[in-house]
Amino acid sequence: MVAKLKDVADLVGVSVTTVSRVINNYGSLSEKTIKKVHNAMAQLHYQPNALARAMQGKPSQFIGLIFPNLTNPFFAELVNELEHQLFAKGYKTIIASSAENRQIEHEYLSMLFANQVDGIISGSHNLGIEEYQQLTAPIVSFDRYLSDNIPIVAADSYRGGKLAAQFMLHQHVQRLAVIVDEDTSVSPTLNRLQGVVDCLNQSNVNFTTVSREDISTTDFPRHYDGVIASNDVQALQIVHQYQEAHLKMNHDFFVTGYDGSQLIQQIAPDLPTVVQPIHALADQLIKTLLKRINDRSAKVESVTLPIKFKK
């Protein structure tokens, strides 16, 4: 049976009003009473009704997280860090994976606001969703343009692209491929490609842009001795292809990844990659969101954080 407010009150020996005041941090109460109420709540596994609190104009203490998928180690680690940091600040999270599907994200947005979350952090790739243009609720975007009134927190993609290209220049790669995703948005992620292109053009180095489909061909390793991949998972897939052709990484060919999650660095320590600061990104996303929650009329600027390159 689900515990009720009255069950907590009866266990402590106080009124329902006193328990409610403890939950809502309202009024003057002794530390002894507060501790007893919290102990009783834990003993009975009592959970305050977040929706009821929100309907009363009180914060629900829930934050929604929408990300394209959690199979990519970078997104998994970022969401885990967000959840950990938010919990330390007294918030619980509702995690939604949009699976890079517009309809799924539409339904998740409706669900999150129906449950009266205090705010949303979105790393959605489904750009142009009308809801983002219309919502006035506190939302912060990770590395994606969603709307003019939604601040973006991102790592320095342009410099990340330049560092990957500079690595290839230092290796004197002769036949360089640059993987291009289909994303045609105006999001900061595209700055990665621009950084690569600008760096290579300034050095008068020839390169070939190829799609993700192109790298699946069996003869791909014969055409290029260097590949700048879009992310670490893609980079490891490319490495596997070259190794199947009996070629040695960082000797016969060079590949750069992007993201630098802890998992990838552990299982592929020799992979050169651009490292995004996951802890700092989570911290800044939360700070930016809390600014919007605490003052919805305040102008909150977008923030770009520095990255590094791991050879």
Side-chain angles (χ1 to χ4, degrees):
M1 181 181 293
V2 177
K4 299 179 181 179
L5 197 69
K6 186 175 185 303
D7 298 325
V8 177
D10 290 344
L11 182 59
V12 180
V14 297
S15 68
V16 170
T17 301
T18 297
V19 175
S20 178
R21 287 168 65 190
V22 171
I23 293 171
N24 294 299
N25 195 25
Y26 177 78
S28 177
L29 295 167
S30 69
E31 286 298 323
K32 183 179 180 180
T33 298
I34 293 172
K35 186 175 181 180
K36 282 185 176 181
V37 170
H38 281 300
N39 287 341
M41 288 169 61
Q43 183 178 336
L44 296 173
H45 304 290
Y46 173 78
Q47 293 292 331
N49 189 314
L51 178 58
R53 286 169 55 81
M55 291 177 66
Q56 297 168 15
K58 301 181 179 69
S60 67
Q61 300 300 115
F62 275 93
I63 300 295
L65 306 179
I66 301 181
F67 282 84
N69 67 75
L70 300 181
T71 57
N72 184 312
F74 172 75
F75 286 127
E77 290 183 18
L78 178 58
V79 167
N80 183 68
E81 185 65 29
L82 284 166
E83 185 178 22
H84 177 76
Q85 291 192 28
L86 283 166
F87 186 81
K89 294 180 182 297
Y91 289 92
K92 296 181 178 65
T93 54
I94 300 176
I95 301 170
S97 174
S98 64
E100 302 185 21
N101 182 294
R102 181 187 180 97
Q103 183 59 33
I104 291 176
E105 184 166 352
H106 168 85
E107 293 182 10
Y108 269 135
L109 273 174
S110 300
M111 180 272 291
L112 289 172
F113 281 104
N115 283 278
Q116 301 290 320
V117 294
D118 292 339
I120 290 176
I121 296 173
S122 175
S124 161
H125 288 213
N126 306 314
L127 305 172
I129 293 180
E130 290 79 4
E131 284 89 340
Y132 284 116
Q133 309 293 327
Q134 300 166 0
L135 292 171
T136 57
I139 302 176
V140 174
S141 169
F142 169 66
D143 208 26
R144 287 291 182 276
Y145 172 82
L146 299 176
S147 174
D148 288 342
N149 64 330
I150 295 178
I152 301 170
V153 173
D156 192 343
S157 296
Y158 184 80
R159 178 159 175 75
K162 287 192 68 173
L163 291 176
Q166 287 171 359
F167 173 82
M168 290 298 180
L169 294 177
H170 292 156
Q171 307 309 319
H172 304 291
V173 170
Q174 299 300 308
R175 293 165 287 121
L176 178 61
V178 179
I179 310 300
V180 179
D181 286 332
E182 298 84 357
D183 191 350
T184 58
S185 69
V186 292
S187 293
T189 301
L190 283 190
N191 292 333
R192 300 181 190 179
L193 178 60
Q194 193 63 55
V196 170
V197 171
D198 287 351
C199 181
L200 295 175
N201 284 339
Q202 289 164 8
S203 300
N204 296 315
V205 172
N206 293 325
F207 61 94
T208 303
T209 57
V210 297
S211 68
R212 285 188 292 182
E213 289 73 22
D214 293 331
I215 66 177
S216 61
T217 59
T218 55
D219 62 343
F220 182 80
R222 294 195 296 107
H223 295 298
Y224 307 102
D225 61 347
V227 184
I228 296 178
S230 300
N231 57 62
D232 291 334
V233 174
Q234 185 184 81
L236 291 183
Q237 292 170 342
I238 293 169
V239 168
H240 178 70
Q241 281 184 269
Y242 278 76
Q243 290 175 338
E244 287 283 293
H246 306 291
L247 298 171
K248 184 178 179 182
M249 185 172 70
N250 297 330
H251 183 269
D252 301 316
F253 70 96
F254 297 89
V255 176
T256 60
Y258 204 105
D259 288 334
S261 66
Q262 288 298 311
L263 176 61
I264 295 296
Q265 291 190 54
Q266 288 171 10
I267 66 175
D270 295 332
L271 177 70
T273 188
V274 177
V275 180
Q276 298 202 67
I278 290 177
H279 178 84
L281 284 168
D283 180 65
Q284 188 60 55
L285 282 163
I286 293 169
K287 285 180 179 177
T288 304
L289 182 62
L290 292 182
K291 285 181 183 178
R292 297 212 71 193
I293 291 173
N294 294 330
D295 186 355
R296 298 195 179 194
S297 63
K299 174 67 175 177
V300 180
E301 299 294 334
S302 296
V303 179
T304 301
L305 299 178
I307 52 82
K308 64 181 181 179
F309 190 84
K310 184 192 77 68
K311 298 180 181 179

